[in-house]
């Protein structure tokens, strides 16, 4: 193959088909239509196959990105899928929801001069093709007789489950909701991640032998300690997430019409409230919806409200657009769909209509001052700039905290904010019990949670004495034992 | 402990073993769930989904039987979901979803003399608490409130565990004529050494009970049942004001100090879905009227509601 240079490759990023904003703002169809084969082939020509690929370092699970792109170029799509799934279980999910601009695409060499290679779109192309053709990478699994319990069926739990199943363990995933998927199911709306994709990924895990037990509230139905001592689990992974929503703690917080983004999204996505009264869960529609916050969850809440038929949907955020934590693409999509943005605006009070319902929200304009601890310029209120925004529904999307249930029901060591303390192998204060994802780090991304699930699986395998083929990324020692591979031989339990 | 059977996946059916009707609107379901029967403690609740398109509704665990492996739910048909359940669920039918036990179990105090107050449907969930207090050796005074004598249930269950039992009815058709607050006052006058009151029922009743004990400064615990979706601390729909703080009833409760709870705020929040409830109920009664279900129709509804039964 002739060596590619920045000059010889296609200069512009292959655009992806999107539904027309005016039409899609009224339905829940997926916005991004994904690449066709010819589009994917063209985009694959833009990769330079750098000898020192930065993109792999930028990926939390270190996908061999140049290799899978090369295989796309060779029309060896199955090979591309095999390359991705060597490290990433859910390409169809991650290709859609990863913040690639801060990860692989953010460090892409092509991006230094031109637009970076559309790695996320290529990954999704491969993931969707796999679902369509029922490709499953089912490795030879030698049963190891270890029984593993996973708490939470979100991204970290699914990733950990997959790795442990591949190591031959008998894996059961416990989910408190009636359907598996965690945030992929209740949180991310259909127009960004269709439920059919989540179903397909869950099916893949079932093909690996993973069992899902829904309607099971671990911690309360049985404790972590009981799982180890009575239910016969040799190791447990906790991936319960950070789902406890923050409230603003301003006057009017408890008025009817004020709700968390989690509640809005759960009612809409998991409970299908948009079909009310065909389904029983209601979701009263605001005509003028205000969403507070500007992260990805806020963008989801804004765009869901628009699709539910709200006349005006407004985002209120105390910092400026530059500081907003949402992915650029999400903000762009929201703007296209007619969402109004009030940057540098902070809510100070939700106002009552006299009957306990929301009438308006009082806000104050902000200005950017000196940088704060996060390195972003601190917003400071402009005296006398208060104004009212008329609204009948206020959605708080200002972050979440640790789910308290496991902490309440076990003796695990938590930090002062309620997150689970772990060592560098993600093992908690109880031997054999691991934790990862948002319940350890605080709210983060899907791919980071998946990375944590995989890291915990590596620690778990080492703990159980299952030899791992891949490198074990630690500080050099594991449970106080020096990390030479000879120390880990496979331990079998007598049959 | 083998109820986590291998190979089960997806929505799991939970079988109803027994149903009993206490009145036109109140019914009892005894549901098979050995693991939950083993884990449940007084004061906890479950989330029930009766069919795939159903709501997730929180119901207090009214009783549990560890030997039989069952939990008991007492339900009042007040809205679409509970009316539909009343009509479709019988012994042998399955719930689409049943998750729990949820919430922090009641902290059983060392009080030597307690009043356990149950109003209407609250009579059922206060029972396991009264029984647990009795088992701890406390002197238990039961105060149960009903609208009239036809609605009275579980009187003998309470007689068996209470040292004294006062039934209050609005019209005086059973026990004393008056509200549970009259019963509480009577008991407080008779016994000067009451150390705790546990009151469960409609918010307005719990508010009145808390007010009745405020002057005498008797610790009063109430169990709140606001609107919930997940029941696991995720949606914040069940937030209540307790003292100056916002608490989630599902994971921080459901038991709170009755003297601290802002009941007015709770009652306003309970009205949130009134209009939707009306629409759903009307739409549902409409379909019922159209088909006037005989027995055959009922089983058809059952089939529609429980496609996973077989």
């Amino acid at each position: 193959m002739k060596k590619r240079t920045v000059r010889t490759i296609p200069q512009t990023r292959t655009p992806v088909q999107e539904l027309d904003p005016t039409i899609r703002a009224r339905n829940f169809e997926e916005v991004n239509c994904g690449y066709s084969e010819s589009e994917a082939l063209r985009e694959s020509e833009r990769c330079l196959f750098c000898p020192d690929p930065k993109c792999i370092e930028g990926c939390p699970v270190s996908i061999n990105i140049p290799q899978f792109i090369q295989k796309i170029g060779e029309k060896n799509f199955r090979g591309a899928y095999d390359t991705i799934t060597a490290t990433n279980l859910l390409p169809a999910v991650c290709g859609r929801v990863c913040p690639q601009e801060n990860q692989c695409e953010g460090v892409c060499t092509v991006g230094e001069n031109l637009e970076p290679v559309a790695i996320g779109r290529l990954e999704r192309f491969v993931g969707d093709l796999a679902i369509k053709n029922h490709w499953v990478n089912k490795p030879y699994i030698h049963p190891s007789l270890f029984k593993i319990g996973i708490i939470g069926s979100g991204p970290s739990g699914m990733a950990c489950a997959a790795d442990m199943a591949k190591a031959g363990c008998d894996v059961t995933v416990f989910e408190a909701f009636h359907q598996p998927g965690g945030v992929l199911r209740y949180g991310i709306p259909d127009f960004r991640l269709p439920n059919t994709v989540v179903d397909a990924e869950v099916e893949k895990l079932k093909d690996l032998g993973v069992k899902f037990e829904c309607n099971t509230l671990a911690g309360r139905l049985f404790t972590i300690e009981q799982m180890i001592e009575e239910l016969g689990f040799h190791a447990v992974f906790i991936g319960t997430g950070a789902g406890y929503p923050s409230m603003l703690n301003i006057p009017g917080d408890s008025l009817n019409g004020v709700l968390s983004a989690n509640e809005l999204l759960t009612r809409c996505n998991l409970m299908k409230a948009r079909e009310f009264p065909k389904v029983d869960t209601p979701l009263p529609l605001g005509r003028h919806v205000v969403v507070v916050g500007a992260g990805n969850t806020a963008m989801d809440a804004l765009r869901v409200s628009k699709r539910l038929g709200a006349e005006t949907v407004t985002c209120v955020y105390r910092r400026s657009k530059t500081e907003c934590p949402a992915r650029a693409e999400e903000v762009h999509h929201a703007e296209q769909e007619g969402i109004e943005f009030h940057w540098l605006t902070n809510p100070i009070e939700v106002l009552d209509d006299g009957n306990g319902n929301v009438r308006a929200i009082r806000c104050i304009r902000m200005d950017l001052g000196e940088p704060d601890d996060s390195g972003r310029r601190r917003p400071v209120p402009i005296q006398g700039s208060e104004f009212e925004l008329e609204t009948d529904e206020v959605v708080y999307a200002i972050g979440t905290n640790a789910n308290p249930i496991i902490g309440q029901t076990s003796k695990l060591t938590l930090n002062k904010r309620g997150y689970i303390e772990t060592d560098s192998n993600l093992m908690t204060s109880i031997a054999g019990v691991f934790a990862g994802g948002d319940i350890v780090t605080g709210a983060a991304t899907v791919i980071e949670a998946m990375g944590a699930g995989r890291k915990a699986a590596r620690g778990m395998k080492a703990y159980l004495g299952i030899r791992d083929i891949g490198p074990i990324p630690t500080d050099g020692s594991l449970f106080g034992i020096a990390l030479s591979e000879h120390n880990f031989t496979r331990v079998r339990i007598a049959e | 402990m083998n109820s986590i059977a291998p190979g089960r996946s997806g929505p799991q059916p939970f079988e109803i073993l027994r149903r009993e009707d206490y009145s036109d609107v109140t019914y009892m379901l005894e549901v098979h769930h050995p693991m939950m029967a083993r884990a449940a403690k007084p004061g906890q609740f479950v989330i029930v989904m009766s069919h795939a398109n159903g709501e997730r509704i929180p119901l207090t665990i009214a009783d549990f039987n560890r030997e039989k492996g069952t939990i008991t739910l007492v339900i009042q048909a007040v809205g679409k979901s509970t009316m539909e359940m009343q009509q479709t669920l019988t012994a042998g039918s399955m719930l689409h979803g049943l998750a729990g036990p949820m919430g922090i179990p009641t902290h059983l105090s060392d009080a030597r003399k307690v009043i356990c107050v149950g109003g209407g449907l609250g009579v059922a969930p206060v029972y396991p608490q009264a029984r647990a207090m009795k088992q701890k050796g406390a002197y238990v005074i039961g105060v149960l409130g009903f609208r009239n004598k036809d609605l009275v249930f579980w009187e003998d269950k309470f007689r068996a565990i209470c040292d004294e039992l006062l039934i209050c009815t609005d019209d005086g058709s059973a026990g004393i004529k008056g509200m549970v607050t009259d019963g509480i006052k009577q008991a407080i006058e008779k016994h000067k050494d009451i150390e705790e009151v546990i009151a469960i029922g409609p918010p307005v009743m719990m508010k009145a009970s808390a007010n009745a004990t405020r002057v005498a400064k008797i610790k009063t615990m109430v169990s709140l049942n606001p609107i919930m979706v997940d029941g696991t601390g995720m949606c914040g729909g069940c937030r209540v004001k307790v003292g100056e703080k916002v608490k989630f009833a599902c994971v921080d409760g459901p038991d709170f100090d009755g003297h601290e709870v802002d009941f007015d705020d709770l009652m306003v929040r309970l009205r949130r879905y009134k209009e939707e409830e009306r629409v759903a109920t009307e739409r549902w009664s409409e379909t019922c009227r159209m088909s006037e279900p005989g027995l055959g129709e009922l089983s058809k509804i059952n089939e529609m509601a429980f496609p996973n039964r077989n």
Side-chain angles (χ1 to χ4, degrees), chain B residues 253-277:
Chain B
D255 289 354
F256 294 102
D257 181 342
H259 293 152
E260 297 263 301
V261 172
D262 184 340
F263 284 102
D264 297 328
D265 182 70
L266 173 67
M267 286 186 267
V268 169
R269 291 185 55 77
L270 282 170
R271 289 207 304 264
R272 171 62 172 149
Y273 295 103
K274 227 175 158 189
E275 177 58 21
E276 287 71 23
E277 189 60 65

PDB file of all heavy atoms in Angstrom, chain B residues 253-277:
ATOM      1  N   GLY B 253     -35.958   6.616  53.698  1.00  0.00           N
ATOM      2  CA  GLY B 253     -37.122   6.271  54.520  1.00  0.00           C
ATOM      3  C   GLY B 253     -37.504   4.835  54.282  1.00  0.00           C
ATOM      4  O   GLY B 253     -36.609   4.028  54.038  1.00  0.00           O
ATOM      5  N   PRO B 254     -38.779   4.476  54.310  1.00  0.00           N
ATOM      6  CA  PRO B 254     -39.948   5.381  54.317  1.00  0.00           C
ATOM      7  C   PRO B 254     -40.332   5.898  55.704  1.00  0.00           C
ATOM      8  O   PRO B 254     -41.225   6.710  55.809  1.00  0.00           O
ATOM      9  CB  PRO B 254     -41.073   4.502  53.756  1.00  0.00           C
ATOM     10  CG  PRO B 254     -40.687   3.110  54.130  1.00  0.00           C
ATOM     11  CD  PRO B 254     -39.185   3.076  54.122  1.00  0.00           C
ATOM     12  N   ASP B 255     -39.656   5.448  56.787  1.00  0.00           N
ATOM     13  CA  ASP B 255     -40.033   5.915  58.121  1.00  0.00           C
ATOM     14  C   ASP B 255     -39.344   7.239  58.450  1.00  0.00           C
ATOM     15  O   ASP B 255     -38.143   7.374  58.238  1.00  0.00           O
ATOM     16  CB  ASP B 255     -39.613   4.876  59.174  1.00  0.00           C
ATOM     17  CG  ASP B 255     -40.474   3.634  59.094  1.00  0.00           C
ATOM     18  OD1 ASP B 255     -41.440   3.644  58.311  1.00  0.00           O
ATOM     19  OD2 ASP B 255     -40.179   2.672  59.816  1.00  0.00           O
ATOM     20  N   PHE B 256     -40.107   8.181  58.956  1.00  0.00           N
ATOM     21  CA  PHE B 256     -39.532   9.455  59.377  1.00  0.00           C
ATOM     22  C   PHE B 256     -40.202   9.888  60.672  1.00  0.00           C
ATOM     23  O   PHE B 256     -41.277   9.406  61.016  1.00  0.00           O
ATOM     24  CB  PHE B 256     -39.750  10.532  58.297  1.00  0.00           C
ATOM     25  CG  PHE B 256     -39.022  10.267  57.012  1.00  0.00           C
ATOM     26  CD1 PHE B 256     -39.704   9.765  55.903  1.00  0.00           C
ATOM     27  CD2 PHE B 256     -37.655  10.501  56.904  1.00  0.00           C
ATOM     28  CE1 PHE B 256     -39.038   9.511  54.714  1.00  0.00           C
ATOM     29  CE2 PHE B 256     -36.987  10.260  55.714  1.00  0.00           C
ATOM     30  CZ  PHE B 256     -37.679   9.756  54.630  1.00  0.00           C
ATOM     31  N   ASP B 257     -39.544  10.834  61.346  1.00  0.00           N
ATOM     32  CA  ASP B 257     -40.113  11.426  62.557  1.00  0.00           C
ATOM     33  C   ASP B 257     -41.311  12.287  62.159  1.00  0.00           C
ATOM     34  O   ASP B 257     -41.162  13.291  61.480  1.00  0.00           O
ATOM     35  CB  ASP B 257     -39.024  12.270  63.240  1.00  0.00           C
ATOM     36  CG  ASP B 257     -39.519  12.895  64.530  1.00  0.00           C
ATOM     37  OD1 ASP B 257     -40.756  12.961  64.728  1.00  0.00           O
ATOM     38  OD2 ASP B 257     -38.675  13.314  65.332  1.00  0.00           O
ATOM     39  N   GLY B 258     -42.477  11.887  62.596  1.00  0.00           N
ATOM     40  CA  GLY B 258     -43.717  12.562  62.201  1.00  0.00           C
ATOM     41  C   GLY B 258     -43.766  14.027  62.583  1.00  0.00           C
ATOM     42  O   GLY B 258     -44.455  14.816  61.948  1.00  0.00           O
ATOM     43  N   HIS B 259     -43.022  14.387  63.635  1.00  0.00           N
ATOM     44  CA  HIS B 259     -43.038  15.789  64.057  1.00  0.00           C
ATOM     45  C   HIS B 259     -42.186  16.668  63.140  1.00  0.00           C
ATOM     46  O   HIS B 259     -42.232  17.876  63.222  1.00  0.00           O
ATOM     47  CB  HIS B 259     -42.556  15.907  65.509  1.00  0.00           C
ATOM     48  CG  HIS B 259     -43.501  15.268  66.479  1.00  0.00           C
ATOM     49  ND1 HIS B 259     -43.113  14.743  67.682  1.00  0.00           N
ATOM     50  CD2 HIS B 259     -44.834  15.026  66.396  1.00  0.00           C
ATOM     51  CE1 HIS B 259     -44.157  14.228  68.302  1.00  0.00           C
ATOM     52  NE2 HIS B 259     -45.209  14.385  67.546  1.00  0.00           N
ATOM     53  N   GLU B 260     -41.394  16.033  62.288  1.00  0.00           N
ATOM     54  CA  GLU B 260     -40.491  16.784  61.407  1.00  0.00           C
ATOM     55  C   GLU B 260     -41.007  16.878  59.971  1.00  0.00           C
ATOM     56  O   GLU B 260     -40.579  17.726  59.205  1.00  0.00           O
ATOM     57  CB  GLU B 260     -39.120  16.088  61.369  1.00  0.00           C
ATOM     58  CG  GLU B 260     -38.412  16.044  62.703  1.00  0.00           C
ATOM     59  CD  GLU B 260     -37.419  17.177  62.822  1.00  0.00           C
ATOM     60  OE1 GLU B 260     -36.507  17.235  61.979  1.00  0.00           O
ATOM     61  OE2 GLU B 260     -37.582  17.999  63.733  1.00  0.00           O
ATOM     62  N   VAL B 261     -41.912  15.948  59.594  1.00  0.00           N
ATOM     63  CA  VAL B 261     -42.345  15.852  58.195  1.00  0.00           C
ATOM     64  C   VAL B 261     -43.252  17.031  57.812  1.00  0.00           C
ATOM     65  O   VAL B 261     -44.136  17.413  58.573  1.00  0.00           O
ATOM     66  CB  VAL B 261     -43.103  14.524  57.958  1.00  0.00           C
ATOM     67  CG1 VAL B 261     -43.726  14.488  56.570  1.00  0.00           C
ATOM     68  CG2 VAL B 261     -42.162  13.350  58.166  1.00  0.00           C
ATOM     69  N   ASP B 262     -43.005  17.584  56.623  1.00  0.00           N
ATOM     70  CA  ASP B 262     -43.870  18.628  56.078  1.00  0.00           C
ATOM     71  C   ASP B 262     -45.001  17.942  55.300  1.00  0.00           C
ATOM     72  O   ASP B 262     -44.879  17.655  54.116  1.00  0.00           O
ATOM     73  CB  ASP B 262     -43.049  19.545  55.155  1.00  0.00           C
ATOM     74  CG  ASP B 262     -43.865  20.718  54.631  1.00  0.00           C
ATOM     75  OD1 ASP B 262     -45.110  20.641  54.653  1.00  0.00           O
ATOM     76  OD2 ASP B 262     -43.248  21.707  54.204  1.00  0.00           O
ATOM     77  N   PHE B 263     -46.098  17.658  56.009  1.00  0.00           N
ATOM     78  CA  PHE B 263     -47.190  16.894  55.387  1.00  0.00           C
ATOM     79  C   PHE B 263     -47.912  17.687  54.303  1.00  0.00           C
ATOM     80  O   PHE B 263     -48.403  17.109  53.334  1.00  0.00           O
ATOM     81  CB  PHE B 263     -48.195  16.444  56.454  1.00  0.00           C
ATOM     82  CG  PHE B 263     -47.714  15.298  57.285  1.00  0.00           C
ATOM     83  CD1 PHE B 263     -47.220  15.495  58.562  1.00  0.00           C
ATOM     84  CD2 PHE B 263     -47.732  13.999  56.777  1.00  0.00           C
ATOM     85  CE1 PHE B 263     -46.762  14.432  59.331  1.00  0.00           C
ATOM     86  CE2 PHE B 263     -47.282  12.934  57.536  1.00  0.00           C
ATOM     87  CZ  PHE B 263     -46.794  13.150  58.812  1.00  0.00           C
ATOM     88  N   ASP B 264     -47.995  19.003  54.465  1.00  0.00           N
ATOM     89  CA  ASP B 264     -48.699  19.810  53.460  1.00  0.00           C
ATOM     90  C   ASP B 264     -47.989  19.710  52.115  1.00  0.00           C
ATOM     91  O   ASP B 264     -48.607  19.546  51.075  1.00  0.00           O
ATOM     92  CB  ASP B 264     -48.782  21.272  53.915  1.00  0.00           C
ATOM     93  CG  ASP B 264     -49.602  21.398  55.195  1.00  0.00           C
ATOM     94  OD1 ASP B 264     -50.534  20.572  55.351  1.00  0.00           O
ATOM     95  OD2 ASP B 264     -49.310  22.275  56.014  1.00  0.00           O
ATOM     96  N   ASP B 265     -46.659  19.766  52.186  1.00  0.00           N
ATOM     97  CA  ASP B 265     -45.859  19.630  50.974  1.00  0.00           C
ATOM     98  C   ASP B 265     -46.100  18.248  50.352  1.00  0.00           C
ATOM     99  O   ASP B 265     -46.295  18.121  49.147  1.00  0.00           O
ATOM    100  CB  ASP B 265     -44.384  19.799  51.357  1.00  0.00           C
ATOM    101  CG  ASP B 265     -43.457  19.727  50.165  1.00  0.00           C
ATOM    102  OD1 ASP B 265     -43.490  20.672  49.375  1.00  0.00           O
ATOM    103  OD2 ASP B 265     -42.740  18.720  50.029  1.00  0.00           O
ATOM    104  N   LEU B 266     -46.118  17.228  51.186  1.00  0.00           N
ATOM    105  CA  LEU B 266     -46.351  15.861  50.709  1.00  0.00           C
ATOM    106  C   LEU B 266     -47.704  15.752  50.012  1.00  0.00           C
ATOM    107  O   LEU B 266     -47.833  15.165  48.938  1.00  0.00           O
ATOM    108  CB  LEU B 266     -46.279  14.883  51.895  1.00  0.00           C
ATOM    109  CG  LEU B 266     -46.651  13.430  51.611  1.00  0.00           C
ATOM    110  CD1 LEU B 266     -45.633  12.778  50.690  1.00  0.00           C
ATOM    111  CD2 LEU B 266     -46.755  12.623  52.901  1.00  0.00           C
ATOM    112  N   MET B 267     -48.726  16.369  50.629  1.00  0.00           N
ATOM    113  CA  MET B 267     -50.072  16.244  50.056  1.00  0.00           C
ATOM    114  C   MET B 267     -50.183  16.967  48.720  1.00  0.00           C
ATOM    115  O   MET B 267     -50.855  16.499  47.814  1.00  0.00           O
ATOM    116  CB  MET B 267     -51.110  16.718  51.070  1.00  0.00           C
ATOM    117  CG  MET B 267     -51.301  15.695  52.198  1.00  0.00           C
ATOM    118  SD  MET B 267     -52.629  16.092  53.333  1.00  0.00           S
ATOM    119  CE  MET B 267     -51.763  16.992  54.590  1.00  0.00           C
ATOM    120  N   VAL B 268     -49.502  18.107  48.595  1.00  0.00           N
ATOM    121  CA  VAL B 268     -49.492  18.813  47.307  1.00  0.00           C
ATOM    122  C   VAL B 268     -48.816  17.923  46.255  1.00  0.00           C
ATOM    123  O   VAL B 268     -49.313  17.761  45.144  1.00  0.00           O
ATOM    124  CB  VAL B 268     -48.759  20.168  47.428  1.00  0.00           C
ATOM    125  CG1 VAL B 268     -48.519  20.766  46.048  1.00  0.00           C
ATOM    126  CG2 VAL B 268     -49.580  21.139  48.270  1.00  0.00           C
ATOM    127  N   ARG B 269     -47.696  17.340  46.631  1.00  0.00           N
ATOM    128  CA  ARG B 269     -46.958  16.526  45.664  1.00  0.00           C
ATOM    129  C   ARG B 269     -47.728  15.279  45.251  1.00  0.00           C
ATOM    130  O   ARG B 269     -47.578  14.799  44.126  1.00  0.00           O
ATOM    131  CB  ARG B 269     -45.570  16.162  46.207  1.00  0.00           C
ATOM    132  CG  ARG B 269     -44.649  17.378  46.288  1.00  0.00           C
ATOM    133  CD  ARG B 269     -43.239  17.003  46.698  1.00  0.00           C
ATOM    134  NE  ARG B 269     -42.656  16.002  45.830  1.00  0.00           N
ATOM    135  CZ  ARG B 269     -42.164  16.245  44.620  1.00  0.00           C
ATOM    136  NH1 ARG B 269     -42.185  17.463  44.142  1.00  0.00           N
ATOM    137  NH2 ARG B 269     -41.648  15.277  43.905  1.00  0.00           N
ATOM    138  N   LEU B 270     -48.567  14.763  46.150  1.00  0.00           N
ATOM    139  CA  LEU B 270     -49.359  13.584  45.801  1.00  0.00           C
ATOM    140  C   LEU B 270     -50.424  13.902  44.750  1.00  0.00           C
ATOM    141  O   LEU B 270     -50.982  13.014  44.126  1.00  0.00           O
ATOM    142  CB  LEU B 270     -50.021  12.995  47.057  1.00  0.00           C
ATOM    143  CG  LEU B 270     -49.093  12.160  47.950  1.00  0.00           C
ATOM    144  CD1 LEU B 270     -49.782  11.828  49.269  1.00  0.00           C
ATOM    145  CD2 LEU B 270     -48.663  10.876  47.246  1.00  0.00           C
ATOM    146  N   ARG B 271     -50.708  15.200  44.567  1.00  0.00           N
ATOM    147  CA  ARG B 271     -51.713  15.581  43.568  1.00  0.00           C
ATOM    148  C   ARG B 271     -51.119  15.676  42.166  1.00  0.00           C
ATOM    149  O   ARG B 271     -51.834  15.963  41.208  1.00  0.00           O
ATOM    150  CB  ARG B 271     -52.314  16.948  43.935  1.00  0.00           C
ATOM    151  CG  ARG B 271     -53.215  16.939  45.138  1.00  0.00           C
ATOM    152  CD  ARG B 271     -54.225  18.068  45.045  1.00  0.00           C
ATOM    153  NE  ARG B 271     -53.587  19.372  44.876  1.00  0.00           N
ATOM    154  CZ  ARG B 271     -53.327  20.209  45.885  1.00  0.00           C
ATOM    155  NH1 ARG B 271     -53.668  19.885  47.104  1.00  0.00           N
ATOM    156  NH2 ARG B 271     -52.749  21.373  45.667  1.00  0.00           N
ATOM    157  N   ARG B 272     -49.807  15.496  42.042  1.00  0.00           N
ATOM    158  CA  ARG B 272     -49.117  15.762  40.788  1.00  0.00           C
ATOM    159  C   ARG B 272     -49.780  15.095  39.578  1.00  0.00           C
ATOM    160  O   ARG B 272     -49.922  15.677  38.525  1.00  0.00           O
ATOM    161  CB  ARG B 272     -47.657  15.290  40.927  1.00  0.00           C
ATOM    162  CG  ARG B 272     -46.841  15.286  39.648  1.00  0.00           C
ATOM    163  CD  ARG B 272     -46.713  16.673  39.067  1.00  0.00           C
ATOM    164  NE  ARG B 272     -45.787  16.723  37.951  1.00  0.00           N
ATOM    165  CZ  ARG B 272     -45.912  17.559  36.929  1.00  0.00           C
ATOM    166  NH1 ARG B 272     -46.926  18.385  36.880  1.00  0.00           N
ATOM    167  NH2 ARG B 272     -45.028  17.573  35.964  1.00  0.00           N
ATOM    168  N   TYR B 273     -50.173  13.852  39.710  1.00  0.00           N
ATOM    169  CA  TYR B 273     -50.661  13.116  38.533  1.00  0.00           C
ATOM    170  C   TYR B 273     -52.171  12.894  38.580  1.00  0.00           C
ATOM    171  O   TYR B 273     -52.686  11.962  37.984  1.00  0.00           O
ATOM    172  CB  TYR B 273     -49.915  11.775  38.417  1.00  0.00           C
ATOM    173  CG  TYR B 273     -48.450  11.983  38.155  1.00  0.00           C
ATOM    174  CD1 TYR B 273     -47.512  11.824  39.172  1.00  0.00           C
ATOM    175  CD2 TYR B 273     -48.005  12.379  36.905  1.00  0.00           C
ATOM    176  CE1 TYR B 273     -46.164  12.049  38.932  1.00  0.00           C
ATOM    177  CE2 TYR B 273     -46.662  12.610  36.659  1.00  0.00           C
ATOM    178  CZ  TYR B 273     -45.748  12.443  37.671  1.00  0.00           C
ATOM    179  OH  TYR B 273     -44.425  12.677  37.437  1.00  0.00           O
ATOM    180  N   LYS B 274     -52.870  13.763  39.325  1.00  0.00           N
ATOM    181  CA  LYS B 274     -54.313  13.588  39.496  1.00  0.00           C
ATOM    182  C   LYS B 274     -55.031  13.551  38.151  1.00  0.00           C
ATOM    183  O   LYS B 274     -55.871  12.691  37.907  1.00  0.00           O
ATOM    184  CB  LYS B 274     -54.860  14.730  40.346  1.00  0.00           C
ATOM    185  CG  LYS B 274     -55.769  14.242  41.450  1.00  0.00           C
ATOM    186  CD  LYS B 274     -56.195  15.395  42.334  1.00  0.00           C
ATOM    187  CE  LYS B 274     -57.487  15.001  43.044  1.00  0.00           C
ATOM    188  NZ  LYS B 274     -58.071  16.118  43.749  1.00  0.00           N
ATOM    189  N   GLU B 275     -54.691  14.490  37.282  1.00  0.00           N
ATOM    190  CA  GLU B 275     -55.362  14.584  35.999  1.00  0.00           C
ATOM    191  C   GLU B 275     -55.086  13.342  35.156  1.00  0.00           C
ATOM    192  O   GLU B 275     -55.992  12.751  34.572  1.00  0.00           O
ATOM    193  CB  GLU B 275     -54.892  15.863  35.279  1.00  0.00           C
ATOM    194  CG  GLU B 275     -55.450  16.062  33.874  1.00  0.00           C
ATOM    195  CD  GLU B 275     -56.976  16.091  33.838  1.00  0.00           C
ATOM    196  OE1 GLU B 275     -57.600  16.351  34.878  1.00  0.00           O
ATOM    197  OE2 GLU B 275     -57.533  15.844  32.741  1.00  0.00           O
ATOM    198  N   GLU B 276     -53.835  12.911  35.112  1.00  0.00           N
ATOM    199  CA  GLU B 276     -53.472  11.713  34.337  1.00  0.00           C
ATOM    200  C   GLU B 276     -54.170  10.481  34.916  1.00  0.00           C
ATOM    201  O   GLU B 276     -54.604   9.607  34.190  1.00  0.00           O
ATOM    202  CB  GLU B 276     -51.956  11.513  34.341  1.00  0.00           C
ATOM    203  CG  GLU B 276     -51.190  12.506  33.473  1.00  0.00           C
ATOM    204  CD  GLU B 276     -51.160  13.908  34.041  1.00  0.00           C
ATOM    205  OE1 GLU B 276     -51.332  14.050  35.271  1.00  0.00           O
ATOM    206  OE2 GLU B 276     -50.971  14.853  33.253  1.00  0.00           O
ATOM    207  N   GLU B 277     -54.257  10.449  36.257  1.00  0.00           N
ATOM    208  CA  GLU B 277     -54.933   9.336  36.921  1.00  0.00           C
ATOM    209  C   GLU B 277     -56.397   9.274  36.477  1.00  0.00           C
ATOM    210  O   GLU B 277     -56.938   8.210  36.192  1.00  0.00           O
ATOM    211  CB  GLU B 277     -54.829   9.519  38.441  1.00  0.00           C
ATOM    212  CG  GLU B 277     -55.307   8.335  39.251  1.00  0.00           C
ATOM    213  CD  GLU B 277     -54.535   7.063  38.956  1.00  0.00           C
ATOM    214  OE1 GLU B 277     -53.338   7.027  39.248  1.00  0.00           O
ATOM    215  OE2 GLU B 277     -55.127   6.117  38.409  1.00  0.00           O
TER     216      GLU B 277
END
